[in-house]
């Protein structure tokens, strides 16, 4: 009886406390997210990944913890989207140029339409995706869109005129490969990480990509020549999240991620542009890289060979039922808007 009395007193006391104080607040559960990326950690897609991780953890006051996996340690470049959809990673960064037939709308920013910087390209890409929201992204939540800086030629041999392209194997993907083909080179498609070994073994004699890679991938150690073409081709990227994981997030966390989307896209573009300048300064001053500039006449000649690429892409996109002319018009309008 004595024990029963003590128990009843305890229950009464607890009930009284609850009536006065109300229910104890639930302890917020920490949200853990895995973020996969395919290039090495020092490269710009991974730098932006680490920045996003830092900002999300800070802006949610530690409620969200993000584990990052660079270098293809969780998902590689080719299966990034499928891996995120399947839940192998909660978040993934993918390069759309690696699958040119799949991302027709967003890959249109890769066309030689005069994008002058990564910042401009990133904001143009975001506007394009936001306006059309193509079906290939319906199964995921888009967290950011960004691009490389405009592509230029890095090579082991000097390329000073169109004749120098003949028989030359150069790495490129997507529309960049079409640009090389129009100039007479042999474009070789492969992910960027594989290009390091391909250059060392002589499988390719150079590549057509953005110039931050001269430092990030140490291409300046083998490619002693950079030919500035300013053709405007860029590589588009997207950061996407598993849709079920997104829906499970608390509303306040979702709001933080939503608010960061455009900011993250523009931040990445600005970082990229500054990093390209840093990379080229390093390449010239420490690796004795020669920069080759085209004359006005050469620039006009090279650009004229690229007009058919855009025309062909418009025809192909229309064949898939897409408003191709309108898409190109939107891109050109956005380029003018963000280039001011």
């Amino acid at each position: 009886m004595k024990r029963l009395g003590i128990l009843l007193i305890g229950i009464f006391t607890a009930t009284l406390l609850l009536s006065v104080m109300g229910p104890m607040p639930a302890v917020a559960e920490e949200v853990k997210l895995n973020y996969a990326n395919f290039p090495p950690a020092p490269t710009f897609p991974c730098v932006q990944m680490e920045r996003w991780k830092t900002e999300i953890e800070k802006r949610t006051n530690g409620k969200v913890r993000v584990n990052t996996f660079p270098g293809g340690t969780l998902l590689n470049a080719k299966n990034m989207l499928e891996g995120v959809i399947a839940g192998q990673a909660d978040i993934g960064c993918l390069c759309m140029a690696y699958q040119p037939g799949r991302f027709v709308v967003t890959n249109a920013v890769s066309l030689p339409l005069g994008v002058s910087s990564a910042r401009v390209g990133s904001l143009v890409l975001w506007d394009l995706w936001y306006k059309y929201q193509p079906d290939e992204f319906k199964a995921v939540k888009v967290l950011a869109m960004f691009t490389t800086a405009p592509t230029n030629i890095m090579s082991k041999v000097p390329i000073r005129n169109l004749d120098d392209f003949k028989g030359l194997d150069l790495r490129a993907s997507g529309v960049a490969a079409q640009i090389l083909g129009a100039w007479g080179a042999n474009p070789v498609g492969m992910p960027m990480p594989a290009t390091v070994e391909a250059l060392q073994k002589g499988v390719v004699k150079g590549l057509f990509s953005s110039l931050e890679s001269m430092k990030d991938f140490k291409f300046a150690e083998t490619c002693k020549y950079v030919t500035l073409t300013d053709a405007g081709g860029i590589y588009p990227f997207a950061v996407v999240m598993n849709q079920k994981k997104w829906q499970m997030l608390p509303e306040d966390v979702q709001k933080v991620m939503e608010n960061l989307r455009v900011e993250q896209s523009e931040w990445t573009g600005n970082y990229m542009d500054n990093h390209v300048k840093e990379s080229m300064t390093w390449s010239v001053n420490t690796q004795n890289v020669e920069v080759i500039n085209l004359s006005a006449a050469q620039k006009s000649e090279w650009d004229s060979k690229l007009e058919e690429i855009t025309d062909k892409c418009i025809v192909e996109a229309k064949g898939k039922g897409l408003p191709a002319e309108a898409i190109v018009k939107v891109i050109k309008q956005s380029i003018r808007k963000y280039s001011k």
Side-chain angles (χ1 to χ4, degrees):
M1 291 294 293
K2 185 176 180 181
R3 288 182 180 178
L4 178 61
I6 293 172
L7 178 62
L8 289 173
I9 291 171
I11 293 172
F12 174 77
T13 303
T15 304
L16 181 64
L17 284 171
L18 282 173
S19 66
V20 175
M21 300 175 60
M24 294 295 288
V27 178
E29 212 174 304
E30 186 178 76
V31 177
K32 295 181 181 179
L33 300 173
N34 292 331
Y35 187 155
N37 219 326
F38 63 92
T43 60
F44 93 100
C46 291
V47 171
Q48 73 78 32
M49 172 176 70
E50 295 300 333
R51 189 262 179 179
W52 188 88
K53 162 190 163 73
T54 299
E55 290 299 316
I56 289 297
E57 292 180 347
K58 180 175 69 176
R59 297 183 193 197
T60 60
N61 297 314
K63 188 173 183 177
V64 175
R65 294 294 177 191
V66 183
N67 298 315
T68 56
F69 296 85
T73 51
L74 185 55
L75 291 171
N76 62 34
K78 291 291 187 180
N79 68 355
M80 187 64 69
L81 184 60
E82 284 74 15
V84 171
I85 292 173
Q88 292 173 265
D90 301 314
I91 303 168
C93 177
L94 61 101
C95 179
M96 290 170 268
Y98 291 174
Q99 301 178 55
R102 185 173 191 177
F103 303 98
V104 179
V105 174
T106 45
N107 263 337
V109 299
S110 305
L111 293 170
L113 297 173
V115 172
S116 58
S117 68
R119 175 189 171 273
V120 170
S122 298
L123 292 173
V124 168
L125 175 60
W126 178 264
D127 281 0
L128 186 67
W129 169 80
Y130 192 80
K131 180 176 178 61
Y132 290 101
Q133 302 200 24
D135 288 343
E136 53 266 30
F137 291 102
K138 295 295 186 184
V140 292
K141 175 69 178 179
V142 173
L143 298 179
M145 289 268 179
F146 53 86
T147 73
T148 63
T151 49
N152 287 285
I153 298 167
M154 295 155 267
S155 55
K156 299 169 77 171
V157 295
I159 299 175
R160 305 183 191 278
N161 52 61
L162 291 175
D163 288 339
D164 292 333
F165 281 112
K166 292 178 181 178
L168 203 62
D169 295 325
L170 298 173
R171 178 266 175 192
S173 300
V175 174
Q178 297 178 45
I179 292 174
L180 284 182
W183 287 335
N186 298 326
V188 180
M190 65 179 70
M192 186 68 89
T195 309
V196 178
E197 186 176 357
L199 278 168
Q200 293 170 348
K201 292 183 175 181
V203 175
V204 294
K205 296 294 184 183
L207 65 152
F208 189 46
S209 190
S210 50
L211 295 175
E212 90 292 342
S213 57
M214 287 289 281
K215 185 175 184 180
D216 287 355
F217 284 92
K218 300 293 188 292
F219 288 145
E221 295 178 0
T222 51
C223 296
K224 297 302 181 181
Y225 301 92
V226 167
T227 304
L228 298 178
T229 66
D230 294 323
I234 53 178
Y235 286 86
F237 289 74
V239 177
V240 298
M241 185 173 188
N242 177 274
Q243 192 67 255
K244 290 182 181 178
K245 191 71 174 184
W246 166 259
Q247 292 167 356
M248 291 170 61
L249 293 177
E251 287 186 10
D252 58 330
V253 172
Q254 289 183 340
K255 186 176 180 180
V256 169
M257 292 184 181
E258 288 272 9
N259 291 341
L260 189 57
R261 297 196 300 174
V262 178
E263 177 191 326
Q264 179 71 13
S265 301
E266 184 171 17
W267 182 92
T268 306
N270 284 326
Y271 170 82
M272 178 62 145
D273 291 329
N274 291 327
H275 192 40
V276 165
K277 295 175 184 176
E278 174 193 340
S279 175
M280 284 307 298
T281 298
W282 174 84
S283 299
V284 171
N285 291 342
T286 70
Q287 301 297 314
N288 299 315
V289 170
E290 179 185 347
V291 178
I292 300 169
N293 292 283
L294 302 181
S295 67
Q298 284 180 307
K299 171 71 174 158
S300 178
E301 180 187 12
W302 290 35
D303 286 351
S304 67
K305 293 185 175 294
L306 306 181
E307 294 171 2
E308 290 185 5
I309 294 175
T310 300
D311 295 339
K312 182 181 177 182
C313 285
I314 288 175
V315 171
E316 291 176 352
K318 286 176 69 175
K320 296 179 180 180
L322 294 170
E325 287 99 341
I327 290 171
V328 171
K329 184 178 179 181
V330 167
I331 293 172
K332 289 181 177 179
Q333 288 174 340
S334 291
I335 289 172
R336 288 194 293 269
K337 173 184 174 182
Y338 293 117
S339 296
K340 291 180 180 178

